Amino acid sequence: MVEQDTRIDIAGVRVAPGDWVMGDIDGVVFVPADRADAVFRAALDKIAAEDTTRAELAAGESLHAVYARHGVL
């Protein structure tokens, strides 16, 4: 090992110790440690909104009405 707990650049993105790195079949995302709480809260809010729109669509609401109300599909 040459270094530990140091910043690196991956594909033009700076990644620092404490940052979050997550990936799946669609790709990889790096979340800076100092923004993680806000990013994860926004992601959970989007999931909640998508769950609401999915339920409203399943109940027979129109796509137009649901999107106009929530701005999320």
Side-chain angles (χ1 to χ4, degrees):
M1 179 183 303
V2 176
E3 291 184 56
Q4 174 179 326
D5 295 327
T6 187
R7 291 183 301 201
I8 61 172
D9 290 312
I10 300 176
V13 176
R14 175 67 45 112
V15 183
D19 289 353
W20 288 77
V21 180
M22 293 167 284
D24 64 14
I25 195 167
D26 293 318
V28 176
V29 64
F30 300 100
V31 180
D34 63 344
R35 301 205 49 217
D37 287 343
V39 169
F40 297 141
R41 171 55 41 212
L44 291 172
D45 290 346
K46 182 153 176 47
I47 290 168
E50 289 172 347
D51 289 346
T52 298
T53 59
R54 191 177 303 103
E56 291 179 5
L57 291 169
E61 292 275 347
S62 76
L63 184 64
H64 183 273
V66 170
Y67 186 76
R69 192 167 33 253
H70 302 290
V72 176
L73 292 178

